Amino acid sequence: MKILIARMNHETNTFSPVPTPLEAFGREGPCYGDDAYRENAGLRTAMSAFIDAAQREQAEIVTPISASANPSGRVAAAAYDAICRSIVDAAAGCDAVMLDLHGAMVAENSPDGEGDLLERVRRALPHAPIAVSLDLHANVTQKMIDNADVITSFKTYPHVDMYESGEHAARLLLDLIHDRAKPVIAWAQPPLLTHTLRSSTAEGAMKRAVDAARAAESEPGVLAVSVLSGFSLADIAAPCASVVVVADGERMRAQQVADRIAMQIWNQRDGFVYRSAPLAQSIREGAALARNTTRPILLLDHGDNCMSGGTCDTTDAFEEALKQGLEGIVVGPLCDPEAVAKLFAACEGATVSVSIGNKLASVASRGKPPLDVTGIVRALTDGQYIISGPTYTGQRAYMGRAAVLETSAARILVTERTHEPWDLGVFESVGIDPRGARFLILKSRMYCRPVFVPISGGLVECDSRGVTSSDYALFTFANLKRPVFPLDLSAEY
């Protein structure tokens, strides 16, 4: 048996000004062939699980590409075409396909990146079974459903079960190949734009929905149930919540389960809506928490969150913290290649005045000048480190060149690339012990929590009204199918 295994991951924020060329998919672009295999073998991605499953089958493995980029703006047409072409061109002669996809990719030439790819793969291999593992924040489309035999998704956010989702999809595909099961897919999609901060699987309506999915998987004939919160910062027809069910030969049974859980989600739709407090109030709350602990207080700047397509260069939260007199701040990573170049030119130990941030035209920074700061250059590095986990455990991370500027109130980590603070190594790699901070201002919603919450004395969510803000009124949706909740309170399902 010859199995095609590939990875194409990108969550597209169509409101983000951060470009997504081919070079964004990896350190200097995607990995191909044997390098794509090595990038995933033995790790914890869905593609890693596909490789392990294929090896247990003693199958011939074809890995044309592994392409994963941080969330950002629309994928460049040339990049999308190159990634798709790599996968489709490798399909000839393959008996099965396993794809590690995000599910919320929008390219300049495709509003449905994954659906269009799957359609092309199906056309190239009309009789080969196709299994797909999706991110929990996938925007599912009919074209995805029509061109896959098996679909599973993560059941955790923060995502710590990527491997398990791939393992599940691979198992069902092999059951199909060996005539142990006949997977069929059904889905349901209520008109609901969820907020990412309400898609945590540890609490609330999302936890109840995922619990219902897990329970349904124990019902006779139900092989997999996935609850996908969707990614609403994509101006497409339906960036909405979905339920995807795989059943053994009974499409009606699959549809009944999908409809039942989708109705549960709709009936609890208020639980998927997040309302931000004013930024100044959030910073005051953080200052109050700090009076009762010696451990760092997390100030999560989710309005400029890297892993939702943020520019990572808005300074609103940092400026408000300085305005309120907070000290002992560690902030970052702030993405500003121009400032990094100036700090590298000055060398370590030098006192430098530099303008940081507000250089990309996002919601928050439009027309706002950069923040002028003066401090001592404390570290200059290549910005690389190994992620300790639990997310992307063992992978090498690249922040671009990184510099630390120390002022009287703060240590500022400035990088050439947008980067999610999902590991203590973000700071430890540049000589900062985050445990010693009084306040950690992180451009993150959720990924930082598994590693930073355990060292903290409290957490406050701060909405800087950047390009990943929870305030949908900041964004103009031109392609969204209306009515949809919560933009339209009269929406029905």
Side-chain angles (χ1 to χ4, degrees):
M1 183 159 48
K2 185 177 181 180
I3 301 178
L4 169 62
I5 298 174
R7 184 182 185 198
M8 183 181 81
N9 285 181
H10 187 258
E11 183 178 78
T12 306
N13 181 334
T14 62
F15 303 102
S16 173
V18 180
T20 315
L22 188 63
E23 294 75 22
F25 289 86
R27 184 182 180 185
E28 295 177 351
C31 291
Y32 301 94
D34 291 343
D35 288 337
Y37 173 90
R38 284 190 290 268
E39 184 177 65
N40 291 274
L43 297 183
R44 300 295 297 175
T45 64
M47 184 168 172
S48 306
F50 293 157
I51 289 170
D52 289 346
Q55 288 177 331
R56 287 192 295 270
E57 289 288 311
Q58 298 183 329
E60 179 183 351
I61 300 173
V62 179
T63 54
I65 194 168
S66 177
S68 181
N70 282 341
S72 48
R74 284 180 173 84
V75 176
Y80 178 69
D81 289 345
I83 295 169
C84 291
R85 186 167 55 249
S86 177
I87 295 170
V88 174
D89 288 352
C94 290
D95 302 296
V97 180
M98 300 180 183
L99 296 177
D100 178 347
L101 306 177
H102 184 285
M105 175 183 280
V106 180
E108 291 173 341
N109 55 340
S110 171
D112 183 5
E114 288 84 359
D116 287 344
L117 168 64
L118 286 168
E119 185 177 60
R120 291 176 61 183
V121 174
R122 177 66 80 196
R123 192 180 303 126
L125 293 172
H127 305 297
I130 300 172
V132 177
S133 173
L134 296 175
D135 190 285
L136 176 143
H137 294 104
N139 290 326
V140 179
T141 66
Q142 188 64 49
K143 195 175 285 190
M144 294 185 205
I145 300 295
D146 291 342
N147 292 285
D149 296 278
V150 171
I151 293 177
T152 64
S153 76
F154 311 157
K155 285 184 168 68
T156 62
Y157 181 52
H159 308 316
V160 295
D161 66 335
M162 293 178 283
Y163 184 93
E164 287 76 9
S165 175
E167 190 174 50
H168 194 173
R171 183 172 70 252
L172 297 184
L173 186 73
L174 292 170
D175 284 347
L176 170 60
I177 290 170
H178 296 303
D179 294 322
R180 295 189 292 259
K182 296 180 179 179
V184 294
I185 302 177
W187 74 305
Q189 188 177 59
L192 171 62
L193 294 182
T194 73
H195 281 97
T196 306
L197 276 167
R198 287 292 178 259
S199 61
S200 167
T201 53
E203 60 186 5
M206 187 63 181
K207 180 180 186 301
R208 292 189 289 274
V210 171
D211 287 347
R214 293 186 188 278
E217 287 179 338
S218 66
E219 297 176 14
V222 179
L223 303 177
V225 182
S226 299
V227 174
L228 304 104
S229 66
F231 182 65
S232 57
L233 293 175
D235 187 16
I236 58 175
C240 298
S242 301
V243 180
V244 177
V245 178
V246 183
D248 189 2
E250 298 184 45
R251 195 175 305 277
M252 183 177 296
R253 176 65 176 140
Q255 192 64 60
Q256 289 172 345
V257 174
D259 290 342
R260 184 182 76 213
I261 297 176
M263 185 56 69
Q264 173 185 321
I265 290 170
W266 179 250
N267 289 338
Q268 299 179 23
R269 57 192 177 277
D270 286 337
F272 291 92
V273 176
Y274 179 88
R275 295 175 176 85
S276 298
L279 181 58
Q281 178 182 321
S282 299
I283 299 299
R284 283 194 297 271
E285 183 181 343
L289 289 174
R291 300 186 192 110
N292 300 313
T293 181
T294 59
R295 303 174 81 182
I297 301 301
L298 303 182
L299 302 175
L300 301 190
D301 183 7
H302 62 88
D304 187 23
N305 167 34
C306 169
M307 292 307 286
S308 291
T311 61
C312 292
D313 82 333
T314 62
T315 60
D316 293 27
F318 183 35
E319 288 188 63
E320 182 61 34
L322 295 176
K323 179 181 177 181
Q324 294 191 24
L326 274 57
E327 297 181 338
I329 299 169
V330 170
V331 58
L334 283 165
C335 179
D336 191 330
E338 180 182 299
V340 170
K342 185 168 184 178
L343 295 174
F344 265 78
C347 300
E348 287 188 29
T351 297
V352 179
S353 295
V354 63
S355 297
I356 296 177
N358 301 329
K359 294 173 184 174
L360 287 179
S362 71
V363 175
S365 64
R366 190 176 296 120
K368 183 175 181 178
L371 176 64
D372 295 327
V373 292
T374 299
I376 300 171
V377 181
R378 292 300 188 193
L380 300 169
T381 79
D382 63 5
Q384 298 186 36
Y385 66 94
I386 302 296
I387 300 173
S388 61
T391 304
Y392 295 125
T393 304
Q395 289 195 61
R396 181 172 292 277
Y398 306 98
M399 300 186 286
R401 291 190 302 171
V404 175
L405 184 68
E406 183 176 8
T407 70
S408 59
R411 284 170 290 173
I412 308 166
L413 171 58
V414 192
T415 59
E416 290 181 315
R417 285 185 163 198
T418 61
H419 193 78
E420 172 72 25
W422 45 33
D423 196 83
L424 298 180
V426 167
F427 296 106
E428 291 176 340
S429 66
V430 295
I432 295 175
D433 181 0
R435 302 168 189 83
R438 291 294 292 127
F439 301 94
L440 281 167
I441 301 179
L442 306 178
K443 290 188 172 293
S444 181
R445 289 190 203 272
M446 201 65 63
Y447 282 105
C448 68
R449 300 190 192 209
V451 289
F452 285 94
V453 167
I455 70 167
S456 74
L459 179 154
V460 182
E461 293 161 349
C462 304
D463 193 342
S464 61
R465 299 172 67 79
V467 76
T468 67
S469 172
S470 295
D471 183 358
Y472 291 151
L474 294 174
F475 307 103
T476 301
F477 291 90
N479 300 304
L480 180 65
K481 183 179 178 181
R482 308 288 289 266
V484 62
F485 188 86
L487 299 186
D488 305 300
L489 300 182
S490 61
E492 297 180 353
Y493 178 58

Tab-separated table of all heavy atoms in Angstrom, residues 13-40:
chain	number	residue	atom	x	y	z
A	13	ASN	N	-6.751	35.092	8.949
A	13	ASN	CA	-7.504	36.255	9.401
A	13	ASN	C	-7.535	37.230	8.228
A	13	ASN	O	-6.537	37.895	7.936
A	13	ASN	CB	-6.819	36.873	10.621
A	13	ASN	CG	-7.542	38.083	11.175
A	13	ASN	OD1	-8.250	38.782	10.457
A	13	ASN	ND2	-7.353	38.358	12.455
A	14	THR	N	-8.672	37.308	7.559
A	14	THR	CA	-8.738	38.134	6.351
A	14	THR	C	-8.639	39.620	6.653
A	14	THR	O	-8.480	40.429	5.729
A	14	THR	CB	-10.024	37.859	5.558
A	14	THR	OG1	-11.155	38.190	6.365
A	14	THR	CG2	-10.111	36.399	5.139
A	15	PHE	N	-8.725	40.004	7.929
A	15	PHE	CA	-8.594	41.406	8.322
A	15	PHE	C	-7.162	41.758	8.698
A	15	PHE	O	-6.863	42.912	8.993
A	15	PHE	CB	-9.526	41.706	9.495
A	15	PHE	CG	-10.972	41.408	9.205
A	15	PHE	CD1	-11.569	40.264	9.695
A	15	PHE	CD2	-11.722	42.259	8.413
A	15	PHE	CE1	-12.896	39.972	9.419
A	15	PHE	CE2	-13.052	41.978	8.117
A	15	PHE	CZ	-13.635	40.827	8.627
A	16	SER	N	-6.286	40.755	8.706
A	16	SER	CA	-4.899	40.983	9.130
A	16	SER	C	-4.058	41.539	7.990
A	16	SER	O	-4.126	41.046	6.856
A	16	SER	CB	-4.279	39.673	9.618
A	16	SER	OG	-2.894	39.840	9.868
A	17	PRO	N	-3.228	42.537	8.271
A	17	PRO	CA	-2.319	43.055	7.248
A	17	PRO	C	-1.017	42.278	7.151
A	17	PRO	O	-0.152	42.602	6.344
A	17	PRO	CB	-2.056	44.491	7.725
A	17	PRO	CG	-2.105	44.378	9.215
A	17	PRO	CD	-3.167	43.349	9.512
A	18	VAL	N	-0.847	41.240	7.994
A	18	VAL	CA	0.388	40.451	7.970
A	18	VAL	C	0.382	39.561	6.732
A	18	VAL	O	-0.531	38.745	6.555
A	18	VAL	CB	0.520	39.587	9.237
A	18	VAL	CG1	1.801	38.768	9.192
A	18	VAL	CG2	0.487	40.468	10.485
A	19	PRO	N	1.360	39.690	5.843
A	19	PRO	CA	1.359	38.909	4.600
A	19	PRO	C	1.670	37.436	4.856
A	19	PRO	O	2.275	37.074	5.863
A	19	PRO	CB	2.460	39.576	3.764
A	19	PRO	CG	3.391	40.170	4.773
A	19	PRO	CD	2.522	40.605	5.921
A	20	THR	N	1.233	36.582	3.910
A	20	THR	CA	1.493	35.149	4.026
A	20	THR	C	2.067	34.619	2.715
A	20	THR	O	1.383	33.953	1.925
A	20	THR	CB	0.196	34.389	4.377
A	20	THR	OG1	-0.498	35.077	5.424
A	20	THR	CG2	0.527	32.979	4.859
A	21	PRO	N	3.334	34.889	2.448
A	21	PRO	CA	3.986	34.321	1.258
A	21	PRO	C	4.401	32.875	1.539
A	21	PRO	O	4.254	32.373	2.666
A	21	PRO	CB	5.211	35.219	1.093
A	21	PRO	CG	5.565	35.598	2.509
A	21	PRO	CD	4.245	35.725	3.238
A	22	LEU	N	4.933	32.210	0.556
A	22	LEU	CA	5.383	30.831	0.732
A	22	LEU	C	6.434	30.733	1.825
A	22	LEU	O	6.470	29.754	2.588
A	22	LEU	CB	5.926	30.285	-0.593
A	22	LEU	CG	6.266	28.795	-0.621
A	22	LEU	CD1	5.025	27.948	-0.384
A	22	LEU	CD2	6.931	28.420	-1.947
A	23	GLU	N	7.263	31.762	1.956
A	23	GLU	CA	8.343	31.738	2.949
A	23	GLU	C	7.820	31.683	4.378
A	23	GLU	O	8.558	31.314	5.300
A	23	GLU	CB	9.234	32.970	2.778
A	23	GLU	CG	10.023	33.018	1.481
A	23	GLU	CD	9.159	33.374	0.274
A	23	GLU	OE1	8.072	33.980	0.473
A	23	GLU	OE2	9.541	33.025	-0.856
A	24	ALA	N	6.546	32.070	4.596
A	24	ALA	CA	5.990	32.056	5.944
A	24	ALA	C	5.711	30.644	6.440
A	24	ALA	O	5.551	30.422	7.648
A	24	ALA	CB	4.695	32.870	5.979
A	25	PHE	N	5.671	29.667	5.535
A	25	PHE	CA	5.339	28.293	5.899
A	25	PHE	C	6.587	27.518	6.321
A	25	PHE	O	7.030	26.574	5.667
A	25	PHE	CB	4.639	27.602	4.735
A	25	PHE	CG	3.244	28.092	4.489
A	25	PHE	CD1	3.019	29.199	3.684
A	25	PHE	CD2	2.159	27.465	5.086
A	25	PHE	CE1	1.723	29.659	3.463
A	25	PHE	CE2	0.871	27.926	4.867
A	25	PHE	CZ	0.656	29.029	4.065
A	26	GLY	N	7.158	27.908	7.447
A	26	GLY	CA	8.380	27.279	7.928
A	26	GLY	C	9.424	28.335	8.170
A	26	GLY	O	9.160	29.539	8.099
A	27	ARG	N	10.640	27.903	8.463
A	27	ARG	CA	11.704	28.872	8.731
A	27	ARG	C	11.975	29.729	7.506
A	27	ARG	O	12.091	30.949	7.586
A	27	ARG	CB	12.983	28.142	9.153
A	27	ARG	CG	14.104	29.087	9.551
A	27	ARG	CD	15.368	28.353	9.909
A	27	ARG	NE	16.424	29.281	10.277
A	27	ARG	CZ	17.675	28.910	10.536
A	27	ARG	NH1	18.019	27.635	10.468
A	27	ARG	NH2	18.583	29.815	10.866
A	28	GLU	N	12.073	29.068	6.358
A	28	GLU	CA	12.267	29.791	5.096
A	28	GLU	C	11.386	29.181	4.014
A	28	GLU	O	11.726	29.164	2.853
A	28	GLU	CB	13.741	29.749	4.678
A	28	GLU	CG	14.672	30.485	5.648
A	28	GLU	CD	16.132	30.376	5.248
A	28	GLU	OE1	16.437	29.596	4.326
A	28	GLU	OE2	16.955	31.073	5.856
A	29	GLY	N	10.236	28.673	4.420
A	29	GLY	CA	9.320	28.018	3.507
A	29	GLY	C	9.040	26.597	3.958
A	29	GLY	O	9.565	26.138	4.973
A	30	PRO	N	8.201	25.881	3.223
A	30	PRO	CA	7.834	24.523	3.614
A	30	PRO	C	9.004	23.552	3.554
A	30	PRO	O	10.053	23.831	2.960
A	30	PRO	CB	6.771	24.138	2.571
A	30	PRO	CG	6.321	25.416	1.957
A	30	PRO	CD	7.506	26.331	2.010
A	31	CYS	N	8.798	22.387	4.162
A	31	CYS	CA	9.723	21.270	4.019
A	31	CYS	C	9.146	20.303	2.992
A	31	CYS	O	7.930	20.075	2.957
A	31	CYS	CB	9.914	20.542	5.356
A	31	CYS	SG	10.800	21.497	6.595
A	32	TYR	N	10.011	19.734	2.191
A	32	TYR	CA	9.573	18.850	1.115
A	32	TYR	C	10.204	17.469	1.259
A	32	TYR	O	11.310	17.322	1.796
A	32	TYR	CB	9.958	19.438	-0.246
A	32	TYR	CG	9.371	20.801	-0.529
A	32	TYR	CD1	10.080	21.963	-0.237
A	32	TYR	CD2	8.102	20.922	-1.090
A	32	TYR	CE1	9.543	23.218	-0.503
A	32	TYR	CE2	7.554	22.171	-1.361
A	32	TYR	CZ	8.280	23.307	-1.063
A	32	TYR	OH	7.750	24.548	-1.315
A	33	GLY	N	9.485	16.462	0.756
A	33	GLY	CA	10.036	15.119	0.661
A	33	GLY	C	10.515	14.565	1.982
A	33	GLY	O	9.795	14.555	2.981
A	34	ASP	N	11.758	14.106	2.005
A	34	ASP	CA	12.328	13.521	3.218
A	34	ASP	C	12.374	14.523	4.361
A	34	ASP	O	12.210	14.154	5.532
A	34	ASP	CB	13.742	12.989	2.942
A	34	ASP	CG	13.733	11.770	2.036
A	34	ASP	OD1	12.668	11.145	1.881
A	34	ASP	OD2	14.801	11.450	1.470
A	35	ASP	N	12.573	15.793	4.040
A	35	ASP	CA	12.597	16.818	5.093
A	35	ASP	C	11.209	16.972	5.725
A	35	ASP	O	11.091	17.203	6.930
A	35	ASP	CB	13.061	18.161	4.522
A	35	ASP	CG	14.548	18.174	4.195
A	35	ASP	OD1	15.297	17.363	4.783
A	35	ASP	OD2	14.951	18.988	3.346
A	36	ALA	N	10.163	16.844	4.913
A	36	ALA	CA	8.803	16.899	5.455
A	36	ALA	C	8.553	15.727	6.385
A	36	ALA	O	7.915	15.877	7.442
A	36	ALA	CB	7.785	16.892	4.309
A	37	TYR	N	9.050	14.583	6.016
A	37	TYR	CA	8.939	13.403	6.889
A	37	TYR	C	9.665	13.644	8.201
A	37	TYR	O	9.110	13.436	9.287
A	37	TYR	CB	9.522	12.189	6.161
A	37	TYR	CG	9.624	10.948	7.022
A	37	TYR	CD1	8.573	10.042	7.080
A	37	TYR	CD2	10.763	10.688	7.772
A	37	TYR	CE1	8.660	8.901	7.872
A	37	TYR	CE2	10.858	9.558	8.567
A	37	TYR	CZ	9.808	8.669	8.607
A	37	TYR	OH	9.894	7.552	9.400
A	38	ARG	N	10.905	14.098	8.115
A	38	ARG	CA	11.716	14.289	9.323
A	38	ARG	C	11.138	15.377	10.227
A	38	ARG	O	11.266	15.302	11.453
A	38	ARG	CB	13.157	14.625	8.939
A	38	ARG	CG	13.964	13.426	8.471
A	38	ARG	CD	15.429	13.768	8.330
A	38	ARG	NE	15.658	14.655	7.199
A	38	ARG	CZ	15.961	14.221	5.978
A	38	ARG	NH1	16.045	12.930	5.725
A	38	ARG	NH2	16.165	15.077	4.985
A	39	GLU	N	10.482	16.385	9.648
A	39	GLU	CA	9.922	17.466	10.456
A	39	GLU	C	8.799	16.976	11.362
A	39	GLU	O	8.515	17.577	12.403
A	39	GLU	CB	9.397	18.583	9.549
A	39	GLU	CG	8.883	19.778	10.346
A	39	GLU	CD	8.412	20.931	9.488
A	39	GLU	OE1	7.419	20.765	8.755
A	39	GLU	OE2	9.047	21.996	9.549
A	40	ASN	N	8.159	15.873	10.988
A	40	ASN	CA	7.005	15.394	11.741
A	40	ASN	C	7.215	14.051	12.435
A	40	ASN	O	6.554	13.772	13.437
A	40	ASN	CB	5.800	15.281	10.812
A	40	ASN	CG	5.291	16.628	10.357
A	40	ASN	OD1	4.490	17.262	11.036
A	40	ASN	ND2	5.769	17.095	9.210
